[in-house]
Amino acid sequence: MKTTVKVWDPMVRIFHWSLVTCFAVAWLSADEWQDLHEVAGYTVMGLIAFRILWGLAGPRYARFRHFIHTPSRVVAYLKDICKGREARHIGHNPAGGMMVLALLLGLSLLTFTGWLYTTDQFWGEDWVEETHEFLANLLLMFAGLHLAGVILASVRHRESLVKAMLTGRKRAPSDRDIA
């Protein structure tokens, strides 16, 4: 019997940690090192484009169809969390899948407003800069919620999701888990 199973392929893991790094660099370099900030932002754009393609054509657990659920399913899962009876998912759970979508959408809007601010037409427009800053801070909050969810799931299911995102492997599913 296998003790672990492959879940996240190397491309998903490289994407994830690259995105974390680029977002942190962009957030920390804002208003200080514009060239670095822009390089990090454009790299995020490229990473998002890759992830969209990989979500359509990548392996099982990378595919959107595997972890994107209806809003009612996400709400039901969140209610189960509150009751302490949420199922363990081998890939992303419904709340995690929703967070992936929220982060990809938010980062897409963030990088779009960042790029927009560099154009002749919108350079110096307060509303573009304010929208960009609002989205950056909102995404920082989302990242905090994501980390809280990772910690909660790690504790509840007695496995390190951070380790799984480093190694690509998780504990093999039991008959009660959702593969």
Side-chain angles (χ1 to χ4, degrees), residues 41-74:
Y42 284 120
T43 304
V44 168
M45 279 183 172
L47 288 167
I48 292 167
F50 162 77
R51 186 60 181 98
I52 291 169
L53 292 173
W54 206 242
L56 298 172
R60 177 183 182 189
Y61 293 109
R63 291 185 183 228
F64 295 128
R65 69 177 180 201
H66 187 268
F67 64 86
I68 302 303
H69 300 278
T70 63
S72 61
R73 171 74 199 233
V74 174

Short mmCIF file of all heavy atoms in Angstrom, two decimals, residues 41-74:
data_model
loop_
_atom_site.label_atom_id
_atom_site.label_comp_id
_atom_site.label_asym_id
_atom_site.label_seq_id
_atom_site.Cartn_x
_atom_site.Cartn_y
_atom_site.Cartn_z
N GLY A 41 6.09 42.45 -11.73
CA GLY A 41 4.71 42.49 -12.23
C GLY A 41 4.56 41.80 -13.57
O GLY A 41 3.62 41.02 -13.79
N TYR A 42 5.48 42.06 -14.49
CA TYR A 42 5.41 41.41 -15.80
C TYR A 42 5.66 39.90 -15.67
O TYR A 42 5.06 39.11 -16.40
CB TYR A 42 6.40 42.04 -16.78
CG TYR A 42 5.93 43.37 -17.30
CD1 TYR A 42 6.69 44.52 -17.10
CD2 TYR A 42 4.73 43.49 -17.99
CE1 TYR A 42 6.25 45.76 -17.57
CE2 TYR A 42 4.29 44.72 -18.47
CZ TYR A 42 5.05 45.85 -18.25
OH TYR A 42 4.61 47.06 -18.72
N THR A 43 6.49 39.52 -14.74
CA THR A 43 6.71 38.08 -14.50
C THR A 43 5.44 37.44 -13.98
O THR A 43 5.08 36.33 -14.39
CB THR A 43 7.89 37.87 -13.54
OG1 THR A 43 9.06 38.51 -14.07
CG2 THR A 43 8.18 36.39 -13.34
N VAL A 44 4.72 38.14 -13.10
CA VAL A 44 3.44 37.63 -12.62
C VAL A 44 2.48 37.45 -13.79
O VAL A 44 1.77 36.43 -13.87
CB VAL A 44 2.83 38.55 -11.53
CG1 VAL A 44 1.38 38.20 -11.24
CG2 VAL A 44 3.66 38.47 -10.25
N MET A 45 2.44 38.41 -14.71
CA MET A 45 1.58 38.27 -15.90
C MET A 45 1.89 36.97 -16.64
O MET A 45 0.99 36.22 -17.02
CB MET A 45 1.78 39.44 -16.86
CG MET A 45 1.06 40.68 -16.53
SD MET A 45 1.42 41.87 -17.88
CE MET A 45 0.31 43.16 -17.44
N GLY A 46 3.17 36.73 -16.87
CA GLY A 46 3.57 35.51 -17.57
C GLY A 46 3.21 34.26 -16.81
O GLY A 46 2.76 33.26 -17.39
N LEU A 47 3.40 34.29 -15.50
CA LEU A 47 3.04 33.14 -14.67
C LEU A 47 1.54 32.85 -14.73
O LEU A 47 1.12 31.69 -14.80
CB LEU A 47 3.49 33.37 -13.22
CG LEU A 47 4.99 33.32 -12.97
CD1 LEU A 47 5.33 33.87 -11.59
CD2 LEU A 47 5.50 31.88 -13.12
N ILE A 48 0.74 33.90 -14.70
CA ILE A 48 -0.72 33.72 -14.77
C ILE A 48 -1.10 33.11 -16.12
O ILE A 48 -1.92 32.18 -16.17
CB ILE A 48 -1.46 35.05 -14.53
CG1 ILE A 48 -1.29 35.48 -13.08
CG2 ILE A 48 -2.95 34.91 -14.86
CD1 ILE A 48 -1.71 36.91 -12.81
N ALA A 49 -0.51 33.61 -17.19
CA ALA A 49 -0.80 33.04 -18.51
C ALA A 49 -0.44 31.56 -18.55
O ALA A 49 -1.21 30.73 -19.05
CB ALA A 49 -0.04 33.81 -19.59
N PHE A 50 0.72 31.22 -18.00
CA PHE A 50 1.11 29.82 -17.93
C PHE A 50 0.09 29.01 -17.14
O PHE A 50 -0.34 27.93 -17.55
CB PHE A 50 2.51 29.65 -17.30
CG PHE A 50 2.72 28.24 -16.82
CD1 PHE A 50 3.02 27.24 -17.74
CD2 PHE A 50 2.56 27.91 -15.48
CE1 PHE A 50 3.17 25.93 -17.32
CE2 PHE A 50 2.71 26.61 -15.06
CZ PHE A 50 3.01 25.61 -15.98
N ARG A 51 -0.32 29.53 -15.96
CA ARG A 51 -1.21 28.75 -15.08
C ARG A 51 -2.57 28.52 -15.73
O ARG A 51 -3.20 27.48 -15.54
CB ARG A 51 -1.37 29.45 -13.72
CG ARG A 51 -2.17 28.61 -12.71
CD ARG A 51 -1.48 27.28 -12.46
NE ARG A 51 -2.20 26.44 -11.53
CZ ARG A 51 -3.03 25.45 -11.90
NH1 ARG A 51 -3.25 25.21 -13.19
NH2 ARG A 51 -3.63 24.71 -10.99
N ILE A 52 -3.04 29.50 -16.49
CA ILE A 52 -4.31 29.31 -17.20
C ILE A 52 -4.17 28.18 -18.20
O ILE A 52 -5.03 27.29 -18.27
CB ILE A 52 -4.77 30.63 -17.84
CG1 ILE A 52 -5.18 31.63 -16.75
CG2 ILE A 52 -5.93 30.37 -18.82
CD1 ILE A 52 -5.40 33.04 -17.24
N LEU A 53 -3.10 28.18 -18.96
CA LEU A 53 -2.88 27.09 -19.92
C LEU A 53 -2.72 25.75 -19.21
O LEU A 53 -3.30 24.75 -19.63
CB LEU A 53 -1.64 27.38 -20.78
CG LEU A 53 -1.76 28.54 -21.74
CD1 LEU A 53 -0.42 28.82 -22.40
CD2 LEU A 53 -2.84 28.27 -22.78
N TRP A 54 -1.96 25.74 -18.11
CA TRP A 54 -1.74 24.51 -17.38
C TRP A 54 -3.03 24.03 -16.71
O TRP A 54 -3.25 22.82 -16.55
CB TRP A 54 -0.62 24.70 -16.35
CG TRP A 54 0.09 23.44 -15.98
CD1 TRP A 54 0.15 22.88 -14.73
CD2 TRP A 54 0.87 22.60 -16.82
NE1 TRP A 54 0.92 21.75 -14.77
CE2 TRP A 54 1.36 21.56 -16.04
CE3 TRP A 54 1.19 22.64 -18.18
CZ2 TRP A 54 2.16 20.54 -16.56
CZ3 TRP A 54 1.98 21.63 -18.70
CH2 TRP A 54 2.46 20.60 -17.90
N GLY A 55 -3.89 24.94 -16.34
CA GLY A 55 -5.19 24.58 -15.75
C GLY A 55 -6.13 23.95 -16.77
O GLY A 55 -7.10 23.29 -16.40
N LEU A 56 -5.84 24.15 -18.04
CA LEU A 56 -6.65 23.54 -19.11
C LEU A 56 -6.01 22.26 -19.64
O LEU A 56 -6.73 21.34 -20.06
CB LEU A 56 -6.84 24.54 -20.25
CG LEU A 56 -7.58 25.82 -19.89
CD1 LEU A 56 -7.52 26.81 -21.04
CD2 LEU A 56 -9.02 25.52 -19.49
N ALA A 57 -4.68 22.19 -19.64
CA ALA A 57 -4.01 21.07 -20.31
C ALA A 57 -3.06 20.28 -19.41
O ALA A 57 -2.50 19.29 -19.86
CB ALA A 57 -3.23 21.60 -21.52
N GLY A 58 -2.87 20.70 -18.18
CA GLY A 58 -1.92 20.03 -17.31
C GLY A 58 -2.45 18.72 -16.77
O GLY A 58 -3.54 18.26 -17.15
N PRO A 59 -1.72 18.10 -15.86
CA PRO A 59 -2.16 16.84 -15.27
C PRO A 59 -3.38 17.02 -14.36
O PRO A 59 -3.80 18.14 -14.06
CB PRO A 59 -0.94 16.36 -14.48
CG PRO A 59 -0.05 17.53 -14.34
CD PRO A 59 -0.40 18.51 -15.40
N ARG A 60 -3.94 15.92 -13.93
CA ARG A 60 -5.22 15.87 -13.22
C ARG A 60 -5.40 16.95 -12.15
O ARG A 60 -6.35 17.72 -12.19
CB ARG A 60 -5.38 14.48 -12.60
CG ARG A 60 -6.62 14.34 -11.79
CD ARG A 60 -6.70 12.99 -11.14
NE ARG A 60 -7.95 12.87 -10.40
CZ ARG A 60 -8.20 11.88 -9.61
NH1 ARG A 60 -7.34 10.90 -9.46
NH2 ARG A 60 -9.34 11.85 -8.95
N TYR A 61 -4.53 16.98 -11.16
CA TYR A 61 -4.74 17.90 -10.04
C TYR A 61 -4.45 19.36 -10.39
O TYR A 61 -4.82 20.26 -9.65
CB TYR A 61 -3.92 17.46 -8.83
CG TYR A 61 -4.41 16.16 -8.24
CD1 TYR A 61 -3.67 14.99 -8.36
CD2 TYR A 61 -5.64 16.10 -7.59
CE1 TYR A 61 -4.13 13.79 -7.83
CE2 TYR A 61 -6.11 14.90 -7.06
CZ TYR A 61 -5.35 13.75 -7.19
OH TYR A 61 -5.82 12.57 -6.67
N ALA A 62 -3.81 19.60 -11.53
CA ALA A 62 -3.55 20.97 -11.98
C ALA A 62 -4.74 21.54 -12.74
O ALA A 62 -4.86 22.76 -12.84
CB ALA A 62 -2.32 21.00 -12.88
N ARG A 63 -5.60 20.70 -13.22
CA ARG A 63 -6.70 21.15 -14.09
C ARG A 63 -7.81 21.83 -13.29
O ARG A 63 -8.23 21.35 -12.24
CB ARG A 63 -7.27 19.99 -14.88
CG ARG A 63 -6.29 19.50 -15.92
CD ARG A 63 -6.92 18.43 -16.77
NE ARG A 63 -5.91 17.95 -17.70
CZ ARG A 63 -6.14 17.80 -18.99
NH1 ARG A 63 -7.31 18.08 -19.50
NH2 ARG A 63 -5.18 17.35 -19.76
N PHE A 64 -8.30 22.93 -13.85
CA PHE A 64 -9.38 23.68 -13.20
C PHE A 64 -10.60 22.80 -12.96
O PHE A 64 -11.25 22.90 -11.93
CB PHE A 64 -9.78 24.91 -14.03
CG PHE A 64 -8.69 25.93 -14.14
CD1 PHE A 64 -8.31 26.42 -15.38
CD2 PHE A 64 -8.05 26.43 -13.02
CE1 PHE A 64 -7.31 27.38 -15.50
CE2 PHE A 64 -7.05 27.39 -13.12
CZ PHE A 64 -6.67 27.86 -14.37
N ARG A 65 -10.92 21.95 -13.91
CA ARG A 65 -12.13 21.13 -13.78
C ARG A 65 -12.05 20.19 -12.58
O ARG A 65 -13.06 19.70 -12.11
CB ARG A 65 -12.39 20.35 -15.06
CG ARG A 65 -11.39 19.26 -15.33
CD ARG A 65 -11.74 18.48 -16.55
NE ARG A 65 -10.74 17.45 -16.77
CZ ARG A 65 -10.52 16.88 -17.90
NH1 ARG A 65 -11.22 17.22 -18.96
NH2 ARG A 65 -9.59 15.96 -18.00
N HIS A 66 -10.84 19.95 -12.09
CA HIS A 66 -10.69 19.09 -10.93
C HIS A 66 -11.00 19.80 -9.62
O HIS A 66 -11.44 19.18 -8.67
CB HIS A 66 -9.29 18.47 -10.88
CG HIS A 66 -9.16 17.45 -9.80
ND1 HIS A 66 -8.72 17.76 -8.54
CD2 HIS A 66 -9.46 16.13 -9.79
CE1 HIS A 66 -8.74 16.67 -7.80
NE2 HIS A 66 -9.18 15.67 -8.53
N PHE A 67 -10.76 21.10 -9.57
CA PHE A 67 -10.90 21.77 -8.27
C PHE A 67 -11.78 23.02 -8.27
O PHE A 67 -11.94 23.66 -7.23
CB PHE A 67 -9.53 22.10 -7.66
CG PHE A 67 -8.69 23.07 -8.44
CD1 PHE A 67 -8.84 24.43 -8.26
CD2 PHE A 67 -7.73 22.61 -9.33
CE1 PHE A 67 -8.05 25.33 -8.96
CE2 PHE A 67 -6.93 23.50 -10.03
CZ PHE A 67 -7.10 24.86 -9.84
N ILE A 68 -12.37 23.37 -9.39
CA ILE A 68 -13.29 24.50 -9.39
C ILE A 68 -14.70 23.95 -9.18
O ILE A 68 -15.17 23.11 -9.94
CB ILE A 68 -13.21 25.28 -10.72
CG1 ILE A 68 -11.79 25.78 -10.96
CG2 ILE A 68 -14.22 26.43 -10.74
CD1 ILE A 68 -11.21 26.65 -9.87
N HIS A 69 -15.33 24.43 -8.14
CA HIS A 69 -16.65 23.94 -7.74
C HIS A 69 -17.68 25.07 -7.82
O HIS A 69 -17.31 26.24 -7.84
CB HIS A 69 -16.61 23.38 -6.32
CG HIS A 69 -15.65 22.24 -6.18
ND1 HIS A 69 -15.98 20.95 -6.52
CD2 HIS A 69 -14.37 22.18 -5.75
CE1 HIS A 69 -14.96 20.15 -6.30
NE2 HIS A 69 -13.95 20.88 -5.84
N THR A 70 -18.92 24.70 -7.78
CA THR A 70 -20.00 25.69 -7.78
C THR A 70 -19.96 26.48 -6.46
O THR A 70 -19.48 25.95 -5.45
CB THR A 70 -21.37 25.02 -7.92
OG1 THR A 70 -21.58 24.17 -6.77
CG2 THR A 70 -21.47 24.20 -9.21
N PRO A 71 -20.48 27.70 -6.47
CA PRO A 71 -20.53 28.47 -5.22
C PRO A 71 -21.27 27.72 -4.10
O PRO A 71 -20.84 27.78 -2.94
CB PRO A 71 -21.26 29.76 -5.61
CG PRO A 71 -20.92 29.93 -7.06
CD PRO A 71 -20.91 28.52 -7.63
N SER A 72 -22.34 27.01 -4.44
CA SER A 72 -23.08 26.28 -3.40
C SER A 72 -22.21 25.18 -2.78
O SER A 72 -22.28 24.93 -1.57
CB SER A 72 -24.38 25.70 -3.95
OG SER A 72 -24.12 24.78 -4.99
N ARG A 73 -21.40 24.56 -3.58
CA ARG A 73 -20.48 23.51 -3.07
C ARG A 73 -19.43 24.14 -2.16
O ARG A 73 -19.06 23.57 -1.13
CB ARG A 73 -19.86 22.79 -4.26
CG ARG A 73 -18.76 21.84 -3.95
CD ARG A 73 -19.27 20.57 -3.33
NE ARG A 73 -18.16 19.96 -2.67
CZ ARG A 73 -17.75 18.73 -2.85
NH1 ARG A 73 -18.42 17.95 -3.58
NH2 ARG A 73 -16.69 18.28 -2.24
N VAL A 74 -18.94 25.31 -2.54
CA VAL A 74 -17.93 26.00 -1.71
C VAL A 74 -18.56 26.39 -0.37
O VAL A 74 -17.96 26.18 0.69
CB VAL A 74 -17.35 27.23 -2.44
CG1 VAL A 74 -16.43 28.03 -1.53
CG2 VAL A 74 -16.63 26.80 -3.71
#
